[in-house]
């Protein structure tokens, strides 16, 4: 009789990790599921073992991974060199513990040519996983559709959306679909692979604005600007400079360069269901779009 692999979800206290555990339970996974967190006492999944999982505590993490076959390593939200150090330590712990397969949540196209400041942290972790000799599924998650719930309300309110993304396209993917992809990867075989996880359609900023207008009835004029103009305008509007230069401008440049234009069937392949389209996502979150618009 074949025993189902033991699955470990690290970062199970966060939105993504929590949803992955829930999806595994909803699928009725027959094997053992372990939820890991720096604060396991805050986890409350019925029928799921909880263990303390701290990427920075290699000895403790090795102990937490005892008996684990497949690990979901969710990227931490600390930016900078310490992120790479913590995540590569977690990879080392997984290897030492005898984990057979690592699923890692990376970002799209993190290779050195990326204009995204934190891309090296993801690429470094990917390289450490590959060098470890442990089987892997690297999931390069496209930008969350939820990000639009932060930027679209102000554009809907002012009627203008300033962007330096040009004609570049982006296939936003919902957090729900990234969770489905991650859960599906844990349930899949152990062949090593790298997959980009996207929504079903790559859209320009103008196409996204048109969908938002259709959903809300509020028109948006897309205004093309340079990276420098975008940065100056955002700073003048009171956006903190680290956000402007670490996220807003690099993200638009990344889109303009075509680095997030790819669309894949990864969600359907891993989970068996097509990802949610952007219009359906915005309709489901209409209240969040219009509460300040």
């Amino acid at each position: 009789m074949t025993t189902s692999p033991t699955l470990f979800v690290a970062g199970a206290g966060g939105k993504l990790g929590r949803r992955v555990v829930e999806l595994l339970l909803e699928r009725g996974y027959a094997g053992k599921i372990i939820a890991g967190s720096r604060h396991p006492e805050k986890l409350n999944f019925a029928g799921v073992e909880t263990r303390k999982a701290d990427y920075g505590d290699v000895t403790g993490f090795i102990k937490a991974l005892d008996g684990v076959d497949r690990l979901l390593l969710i990227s931490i939200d600390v930016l900078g060199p310490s992120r790479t150090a913590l995540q590569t330590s977690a990879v080392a712990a997984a290897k030492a513990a005898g984990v057979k397969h690592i699923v890692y949540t990376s970002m799209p196209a993190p290779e050195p040519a990326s204009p995204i400041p934190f891309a090296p942290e993801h690429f470094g972790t990917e390289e450490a996983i590959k060098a470890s000799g442990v089987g892997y599924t690297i999931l390069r998650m496209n930008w969350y559709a939820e990000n639009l719930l932060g930027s679209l309300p102000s554009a809907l309110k002012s009627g203008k959306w300033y962007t330096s993304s040009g004609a570049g396209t982006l296939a936003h993917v919902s957090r729900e679909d990234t969770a489905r992809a991650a859960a599906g990867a844990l349930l899949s075989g152990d062949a090593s692979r790298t997959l980009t996880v996207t929504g079903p359609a790559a859209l320009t900023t103008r196409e996204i604005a048109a969908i938002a207008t259709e959903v809300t009835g509020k028109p948006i004029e897309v205004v093309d600007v340079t990276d420098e103009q975008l940065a100056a305008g955002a700073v003048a509007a009171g956006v903190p400079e680290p956000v402007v230069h670490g996220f807003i401008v690099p993200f638009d440049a990344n889109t303009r360069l075509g680095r997030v234009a790819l669309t894949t069937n990864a969600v359907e392949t891993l989970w068996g269901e097509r990802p949610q389209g952007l219009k359906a996502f915005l309709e489901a979150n209409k209240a969040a779009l219009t509460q300040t618009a």
Side-chain angles (χ1 to χ4, degrees), residues 98-234:
V99 171
K100 299 179 179 65
H101 198 89
I102 297 172
V103 178
Y104 174 63
T105 59
S106 189
M107 60 164 273
E111 288 84 1
S114 176
I116 305 297
F118 53 82
E121 300 156 26
H122 284 291
F123 189 67
T125 304
E126 288 188 9
E127 292 296 284
I129 291 171
K130 292 176 181 178
S132 72
V134 179
Y136 63 84
T137 302
I138 292 171
L139 298 177
R140 292 180 164 183
M141 307 294 197
N142 235 8
W143 307 140
Y144 282 166
E146 281 79 359
N147 292 350
L148 292 170
L149 302 181
S151 57
L152 273 174
S154 59
L156 287 163
K157 184 176 182 179
S158 68
K160 294 183 183 296
W161 188 349
Y162 296 92
T163 179
S164 63
S165 62
T169 60
L170 169 57
H172 286 93
V173 62
S174 70
R175 183 182 288 109
E176 175 71 6
D177 281 322
T178 62
R180 289 171 175 168
L186 282 173
L187 296 172
S188 299
D190 292 329
S192 294
R193 52 185 171 169
T194 298
L195 301 172
T196 299
V197 179
T198 78
L203 305 168
T204 65
T205 300
R206 280 181 169 77
E207 289 171 326
I208 295 170
I211 292 172
T213 294
E214 184 179 355
V215 170
T216 65
K218 296 178 178 292
I220 299 175
E221 176 191 0
V222 175
V223 182
D224 292 307
V225 295
T226 65
D227 288 341
E228 294 74 19
Q229 290 170 329
L230 181 63

Side-chain angles (χ1 to χ4, degrees), residues 7 19-29 33 139 176-188 193 195 197 265-276:
L7 310 181
R19 186 59 185 142
V20 170
V21 175
E22 292 170 349
L23 286 166
L24 292 172
L25 292 172
E26 290 170 14
R27 274 280 163 104
Y29 182 63
I33 303 170
L139 298 177
E176 175 71 6
D177 281 322
T178 62
R180 289 171 175 168
L186 282 173
L187 296 172
S188 299
R193 52 185 171 169
L195 301 172
V197 179
N265 63 353
V267 175
E268 188 171 5
T269 297
L270 292 167
W271 192 245
E273 297 176 15
R274 284 181 55 78
Q276 186 179 39

